[in-house]
């Protein structure tokens, strides 16, 4: 998910009362909720960063180590402010045990949220390179923003007025967010089941893959991307307001399988292509008349020629 979502998840968790457990509790939750994204520093590498993102810093070793580092830095910060005489008078005493616990909670929320979309996350890195996908929410979900930001402000308003209900409001917000995520998961499950049946009836073969791509601004819709064992592919538009609607589109065509040994060897000669194929979930490969190889991913092929498209030039004569 985007970093605003991660930050607001940490902030709303703090508004459930967790931030009162120790001084610097809210920074521990918010920074912890973002800290796995330190791997974003590799994005200057372009396409090759696809093989580096959402991996090592999102896996079990990082989830154990990053909260320890964050806790140590926050303790040092608190002591530095104390020595300088700039420590806020109203800040509660920092309790290292609770500070570490909140850093863990914040950090754990990050891979949990990242798993929800179709981009992918390697939850077991470095022990396994397997990608995991939730297919539940779009990477940027405006309604989720509204729920998190609105719930946070709602809780803060009660806190500033000295009301006793601010923690309950934080809990209500987290509960509503979880219910929204669960509902989206149910929509995805229903959409995938409908798409699977449609593919079977139109291609007379069981689909090899059905991926629910959540759509921005429309949580009730899914763009189902499918593949069959014989290489047919296409998409199936789904809406909970018209679940039985039959899409007009037929299979879009046959992909050139990247498992073809000749194409695979050609792709492996290019560093960008190697990184792309490591990340790609639904790769498409086409060969131009000049012999160049174009790699795209069915999930993001509408996004133009950026890091989601790789062109391997023809071999030199």
């Amino acid at each position: 998910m985007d970093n605003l979502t991660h930050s607001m998840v940490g902030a709303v968790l703090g508004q459930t009362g967790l931030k009162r457990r120790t001084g610097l509790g809210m920074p521990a939750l918010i920074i912890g909720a973002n800290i796995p994204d330190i791997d974003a520093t590799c994005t200057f590498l372009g396409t090759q960063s696809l093989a580096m993102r959402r991996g090592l810093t999102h896996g079990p070793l990082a989830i154990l180590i990053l909260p320890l580092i964050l806790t140590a830095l926050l303790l040092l910060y608190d002591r530095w402010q104390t020595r300088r005489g700039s420590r806020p008078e109203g800040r509660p005493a920092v309790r290292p045990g609770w500070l570490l616990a909140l850093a863990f909670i914040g950090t754990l929320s990050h891979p949990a949220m990242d798993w929800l979309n179709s981009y992918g996350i390697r939850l077991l890195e470095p022990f396994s390179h397997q990608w995991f996908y939730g297919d539940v929410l779009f990477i940027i979900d405006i309604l989720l923003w509204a729920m998190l930001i609105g719930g946070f402000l709602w809780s803060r308003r009660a806190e500033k007025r000295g009301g006793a209900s601010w923690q309950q409001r934080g809990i209500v917000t987290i509960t509503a967010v979880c219910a929204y995520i669960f509902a989206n998961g149910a929509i995805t499950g229903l959409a995938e089941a409908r798409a699977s049946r449609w593919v079977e009836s139109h291609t007379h073969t069981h689909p090899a893959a059905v991926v629910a791509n959540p759509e921005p601004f429309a949580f009730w819709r899914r763009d189902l991307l499918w593949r069959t064992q014989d290489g047919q592919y296409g998409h199936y538009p789904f809406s909970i307001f018209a679940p039985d609607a039959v899409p007009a589109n037929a299979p879009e065509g046959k992909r050139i399988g990247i498992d073809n040994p000749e194409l695979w060897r050609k792709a492996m000669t290019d560093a960008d292509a190697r990184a792309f194929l490591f990340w790609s979930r639904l790769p498409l490969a086409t060969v131009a008349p000049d012999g160049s190889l174009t790699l795209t991913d069915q999930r993001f092929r509408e996004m133009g020629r950026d890091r989601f498209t790789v062109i391997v030039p023809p071999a030199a004569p």
Side-chain angles (χ1 to χ4, degrees), residues 302-317:
E302 304 295 331
M303 294 188 176
R305 290 190 173 183
D306 52 13
R307 61 181 181 150
F308 298 124
T309 300
V310 174
I311 299 177
V312 182

Side-chain angles (χ1 to χ4, degrees), residues 88-308:
E89 293 182 4
R91 178 188 296 163
V94 173
R95 303 165 66 185
W98 268 109
L99 194 65
L100 179 60
L102 298 190
F104 270 115
I105 292 171
T107 305
L108 280 168
S109 74
H110 188 103
M113 297 301 295
D114 274 357
W115 171 79
L116 294 174
N117 52 61
S118 65
Y119 184 94
I121 179 174
R122 285 173 281 144
L123 290 170
L124 302 178
E125 196 73 50
F127 306 109
S128 169
H129 299 324
Q130 181 180 354
W131 290 87
F132 295 86
Y133 314 89
D135 299 342
V136 173
L137 298 178
F138 191 67
I139 293 175
I140 297 176
D141 190 298
I142 303 299
L143 184 55
L144 186 61
W145 278 3
M147 295 174 69
L148 289 167
I149 295 172
F152 174 78
L153 295 176
W154 182 47
S155 175
R156 281 288 292 159
R157 185 177 299 113
E159 184 181 12
K160 288 180 178 179
R161 292 175 178 172
S165 64
W166 67 272
Q167 296 182 43
Q168 286 74 21
R169 292 185 180 190
I171 293 171
V172 168
T173 301
I174 286 293
T175 302
V177 166
C178 290
Y180 174 70
I181 292 171
F182 180 83
N184 273 273
I187 294 170
T188 290
L190 177 61
E192 288 177 343
R194 294 293 175 92
S196 294
R197 289 196 292 269
W198 185 88
V199 172
E200 285 194 42
S201 65
H202 283 72
T203 66
H204 308 293
T205 182
H206 187 73
V210 175
V211 174
N213 224 16
E215 296 190 17
F217 313 113
F219 72 88
W220 58 91
R221 293 206 305 256
R222 297 290 185 273
D223 185 24
L224 280 299
L225 312 171
W226 55 266
R227 296 280 179 88
T228 61
Q229 292 289 355
D230 63 354
Q232 296 181 78
Y233 70 90
H235 76 103
Y236 177 101
F238 174 87
S239 170
I240 59 173
F241 298 117
D244 297 315
V246 177
N249 63 302
E252 296 174 23
K254 277 202 171 187
R255 65 188 174 96
I256 300 174
I258 196 61
D259 54 341
N260 179 293
E262 182 180 350
L263 291 180
W264 184 264
R265 283 194 296 271
K266 182 178 179 61
M268 290 301 103
T269 63
D270 185 273
D272 284 346
R274 288 196 299 272
F276 181 87
L277 290 173
F278 173 75
W279 162 82
S280 182
R281 186 179 183 185
L282 297 171
L284 293 172
T286 56
V287 180
D290 65 356
S292 62
L293 176 65
T294 299
L295 301 175
T296 57
D297 189 285
Q298 203 173 338
R299 295 168 296 171
F300 303 109
R301 61 179 176 161
E302 304 295 331
M303 294 188 176
R305 290 190 173 183
D306 52 13
R307 61 181 181 150
F308 298 124

Side-chain angles (χ1 to χ4, degrees), residues 76-97:
L76 288 173
Y77 176 72
D78 184 67
R79 291 171 186 172
W80 175 73
Q81 283 193 315
T82 300
R83 286 197 302 270
R84 294 181 69 244
S86 58
R87 188 183 192 279
E89 293 182 4
R91 178 188 296 163
V94 173
R95 303 165 66 185

